[in-house]
Amino acid sequence: EQISEKGIGNGMSLMIFAGIAISFPSIVTMINASLINGSLVWWQLIFIVTMLLATVWLIVFFSTAQRRIPIQHMKRNYGTKSMGGQTSYLPISVNMANVMPIIFAISLVYFPSQIAALFPPGTAWSDTLTNIASFFAPDFRSAKGYIGALIYVGLIFGFTYVWIAMMYNVEDIADNLKRSGSYIPGVRPGRQTIEFLNGVISRVTFVGASFLAVVALTQYAVPAISPGGSQAFGLIGGTSLLILVSVALETMRQIEANLLVKQYNG
């Protein structure tokens, strides 16, 4: 709470960040042991490192990407002075939902297996639920796993659209623009502005959901290509890597904003 209050990041997010980052020494030890015993060859190690770097670049790119909608402000005269008439932007982040859709989706994906664990092994209920759970678990090494991957992607898209609908109230944005005398060039205030914003946000959300789906599936795709390094990549790939990079970027932005407010020249 003190971390959040002082403006140096979100305290809870930083705790999660630290919990993931603290596993790095054990991952390096695991990779070194795999190289020594021969379960991991050099080309697989290069592939894993390349995938990690590519995933980090992808996360940074989409986390900072924005769709900027131009806003024209009306010019107003106050005596001999003229105010307004400038152009600004309404930024819409591509990854507005961040990691939340993945967390919700993964919870539902593994829900059948968690229910199956409540019944004794070998019983009819346990076998039935385990068989159902095999269709929900993403895995590119089996036919059932591909069905699970499709379900996983569908849940990510669904939760992303629901989250954005909760976060963005398009009608309020359009009303605020109309009250302040601002408008989107080429779009009439009111109903047309609402329809325009809905269309833009829907397209941006689709791109953001596709990005989250790709990042979430990397930790299941790498084991199918490079089985020797699957465990190491599974610890820091996909969702974990998205949390690490997102928290680091958000903390950096909050620190920079805090320094600008305090006019710190260091």
Side-chain angles (χ1 to χ4, degrees):
E1 292 177 353
Q2 289 298 315
I3 290 174
S4 303
E5 184 178 347
K6 299 298 181 181
I8 56 176
N10 185 284
M12 186 62 67
S13 298
L14 287 176
M15 290 179 63
I16 300 174
F17 176 93
I20 299 173
I22 202 172
S23 63
F24 283 173
S26 61
I27 293 173
V28 174
T29 304
M30 184 190 307
I31 292 176
N32 184 52
S34 300
L35 288 172
I36 293 175
N37 60 30
S39 61
L40 181 68
V41 296
W42 64 269
W43 69 266
Q44 291 177 332
L45 177 61
I46 294 176
F47 172 76
I48 292 172
V49 173
T50 303
M51 284 294 297
L52 285 174
L53 295 177
T55 305
V56 170
W57 179 87
L58 191 70
I59 293 173
V60 173
F61 179 80
F62 279 92
S63 297
T64 57
Q66 293 179 342
R67 167 68 161 89
R68 295 185 174 182
I69 300 176
I71 303 296
Q72 182 67 43
H73 302 279
M74 295 183 64
K75 184 179 294 185
R76 296 179 179 179
N77 296 322
Y78 297 92
T80 59
K81 294 184 178 180
S82 178
M83 304 291 291
Q86 298 178 347
T87 301
S88 62
Y89 295 94
L90 175 64
I92 299 178
S93 177
V94 174
N95 186 25
M96 289 181 286
N98 211 337
V99 74
M100 296 307 298
I102 297 180
I103 295 176
F104 291 142
I106 202 69
S107 299
L108 290 182
V109 163
Y110 287 109
F111 184 73
S113 61
Q114 294 174 354
I115 298 298
L118 299 176
F119 297 93
T123 60
W125 279 103
S126 177
D127 294 340
T128 302
L129 290 172
T130 301
N131 187 37
I132 294 174
S134 63
F135 285 94
F136 279 80
D139 188 1
F140 290 100
R141 291 171 292 186
S142 65
K144 295 181 180 179
Y146 278 92
I147 298 177
L150 291 176
I151 295 175
Y152 189 29
V153 170
L155 289 173
I156 290 175
F157 270 81
F159 282 120
T160 302
Y161 275 94
V162 171
W163 186 267
I164 299 305
M166 295 172 56
M167 296 293 294
Y168 259 92
N169 192 329
V170 179
E171 294 184 0
D172 286 347
I173 297 175
D175 289 340
N176 291 334
L177 290 175
K178 188 175 182 179
R179 290 173 184 173
S180 62
S182 304
Y183 62 94
I184 301 173
V187 180
R188 289 178 176 270
R191 176 55 54 184
Q192 286 191 7
T193 300
I194 295 175
E195 294 176 354
F196 176 80
L197 291 176
N198 277 326
V200 171
I201 292 176
S202 296
R203 292 190 294 270
V204 171
T205 302
F206 180 83
V207 176
S210 301
F211 153 71
L212 291 176
V214 170
V215 172
L217 290 178
T218 53
Q219 63 188 83
Y220 303 103
V222 170
I225 302 174
S226 177
S230 60
Q231 188 175 4
F233 189 88
L235 292 175
I236 57 175
T239 307
S240 300
L241 204 59
L242 179 61
I243 294 174
L244 285 174
V245 177
S246 299
V247 172
L249 290 174
E250 183 62 26
T251 303
M252 182 182 66
R253 282 194 289 261
Q254 290 189 20
I255 293 176
E256 290 178 350
N258 197 23
L259 293 178
L260 289 175
V261 170
K262 294 184 178 181
Q263 296 182 352
Y264 174 72
N265 297 320

